[in-house]
Amino acid sequence: MMNSKRFNMNIRLISFFVGILCAVSLFADNNPEGARQGAMGGTGVTTKDVWGIYHNQATLAYLKNPTMGFFYENRFLNAIGDEGFAFVIPTEKSGVFGLNVNYLGVQTYSDMKVGLAYALALSPKFSLGMQLDYFHSQYGHIYDRTNDFLPEVG
């Protein structure tokens, strides 16, 4: 009986931490790149197009042709511009490679993200994707700049 209670407590604890991890990762990027993803409220984890490089890199594995896309959005009455670029190139045997660049900002504040992605279809319904991102943030001329690297898995 004691082992059953301990097992249930461990399951609850693991579920709690997995839930927190998922909630944090779901809100890591608030830029809905792509017109279709923007129209769907920023969701795009299942759409199989070039903008999957921003939302779920694993969906890139199903692209058959080299694809490029540009994105631009004005926010707050033209005060902040959000610009995006994505390019993916499939190979016959090695998977799909991609590059994306995103810039959001004005003269006193800016965020830039550059990502290199790779995706591989393991079966017709299962694929794996990963990306290495470089982030650069600048807060005016007085404050410090930050540079970070972050991996993504989809």
Side-chain angles (χ1 to χ4, degrees):
M1 190 60 118
M2 187 64 163
N3 287 339
S4 175
K5 286 183 179 181
R6 186 173 184 187
F7 178 76
N8 287 338
M9 182 59 127
N10 286 342
I11 292 295
R12 288 180 185 164
L13 195 59
I14 289 170
S15 298
F16 173 76
F17 284 114
V18 167
I20 293 294
L21 178 66
C22 289
V24 169
S25 66
L26 287 175
F27 298 103
D29 190 9
N30 63 354
N31 300 329
E33 302 298 335
R36 181 168 45 169
Q37 289 80 357
M40 295 189 313
T43 60
V45 295
T46 60
T47 56
K48 296 175 184 171
D49 61 11
V50 69
W51 300 112
I53 201 166
Y54 284 95
H55 303 283
N56 182 3
Q57 294 80 18
T59 62
L60 299 176
Y62 300 107
L63 297 178
K64 302 297 182 206
N65 299 314
T67 311
M68 182 184 311
F70 296 95
F71 177 88
Y72 184 80
E73 177 186 7
N74 285 325
R75 294 187 181 186
F76 308 111
L77 300 174
N78 297 332
I80 298 178
D82 184 8
E83 306 164 26
F85 165 78
F87 176 71
V88 295
I89 185 161
T91 62
E92 287 189 31
K93 296 181 181 179
S94 301
V96 178
F97 295 91
L99 167 73
N100 66 64
V101 179
N102 180 258
Y103 177 82
L104 172 73
V106 292
Q107 190 173 21
T108 57
Y109 165 78
S110 65
D111 276 335
M112 183 182 69
K113 172 186 163 186
V114 178
L116 293 173
Y118 174 74
L120 180 66
L122 302 174
S123 76
K125 293 192 175 195
F126 186 76
S127 60
L128 178 67
M130 61 187 102
Q131 180 168 303
L132 180 63
D133 294 327
Y134 166 73
F135 291 95
H136 174 78
S137 296
Q138 183 173 335
Y139 306 98
H141 302 290
I142 300 171
Y143 300 106
D144 200 10
R145 300 173 185 166
T146 60
N147 298 294
D148 297 304
F149 286 94
L150 181 71
E152 293 184 50
V153 177

